[in-house]
Amino acid sequence: RENKYIEELVFFFVLLGFLLFFLLGKFVYSHPSTRIIAKEIGFFHAFGIFLYYFLTGMGIAILLGISVLSGVLFFIPIFLYSLFGEITLFHVHPDFKEGFFVKLLFFVSGLLGVLTAKLVFIPVFASYCILGFLIGSVTFLAIKEHSKESEHHMLLFFSGVALYTFLIFLFLIL
């Protein structure tokens, strides 16, 4: 029965990853683009990219620990999305992408995630949470890339979040 709760609580982290990237996107893209605000928002954008690739590195290492096939099957769509998707440095403020330290941090973020997953003990529950968060964030980014924001889409978005939350609670009760 305990494993059932652990596995179902992971879906809260799927929802959390989805919502966090939604809110980060709203914050980053809803401000006027004055130089000062753009720099502050650029920090949050850069942090989001670092966090995404850091956790992706952790996720790949966790899944490789389960089996090579699991790691490879997770890596392929993440790699393709990273190659062609929206998570790029294009929108990051120039002050952030021009600095050597920031470039280095972006470059090694995935590797830092892999090393962290290998060097630090991560309980099974935390591993599930990291993977759930990654799935939620990638799902949000993929959906966002293929839809235009409108009031109708916002209504659908919040309806989907409410329905997903309800289903999590329903499955926890059963």
Side-chain angles (χ1 to χ4, degrees):
R1 184 81 179 146
E2 183 179 312
N3 279 347
K4 179 181 189 268
Y5 287 120
I6 289 174
E7 291 169 0
E8 290 171 353
L9 281 174
V10 168
F11 290 102
F12 279 114
F13 287 89
V14 172
L15 183 61
L16 181 65
F18 195 90
L19 285 174
L20 182 68
F21 272 73
F22 169 77
L23 293 173
L24 186 63
K26 280 292 183 197
F27 179 76
V28 168
Y29 296 113
S30 67
H31 289 80
S33 60
T34 65
R35 176 121 175 101
I36 294 170
I37 293 176
K39 188 173 181 179
E40 291 173 2
I41 292 171
F43 170 78
F44 286 104
H45 192 195
F47 176 75
I49 292 172
F50 173 82
L51 179 66
Y52 173 79
Y53 284 116
F54 179 81
L55 291 175
T56 298
M58 287 183 80
I60 289 170
I62 289 166
L63 288 170
L64 283 171
I66 295 170
S67 77
V68 173
L69 181 61
S70 296
V72 170
L73 289 176
F74 182 75
F75 174 77
I76 292 170
I78 294 291
F79 172 74
L80 291 173
Y81 187 78
S82 297
L83 194 59
F84 301 112
E86 189 174 288
I87 297 239
T88 65
L89 296 178
F90 179 74
H91 295 291
V92 174
H93 192 275
D95 289 352
F96 287 102
K97 52 181 179 182
E98 298 305 320
F100 173 76
F101 182 71
V102 174
K103 284 181 181 178
L104 181 64
L105 213 55
F106 282 146
F107 180 73
V108 299
S109 58
L111 181 60
L112 288 174
V114 170
L115 290 174
T116 301
K118 290 297 181 189
L119 298 176
V120 175
F121 171 73
I122 300 173
V124 173
F125 176 70
S127 297
Y128 282 142
C129 295
I130 290 167
L131 292 172
F133 184 87
L134 276 171
I135 291 167
S137 61
V138 169
T139 302
F140 171 75
L141 293 169
I143 289 171
K144 182 180 182 302
E145 191 167 302
H146 296 290
S147 68
K148 294 186 181 188
E149 223 172 270
S150 67
E151 285 184 34
H152 176 71
H153 285 109
M154 294 303 291
L155 179 62
L156 287 174
F157 172 78
F158 285 114
S159 298
V161 168
L163 177 64
Y164 192 70
T165 304
F166 172 76
L167 288 174
I168 293 169
F169 281 116
L170 183 65
F171 287 119
L172 282 174
I173 292 170
L174 296 178

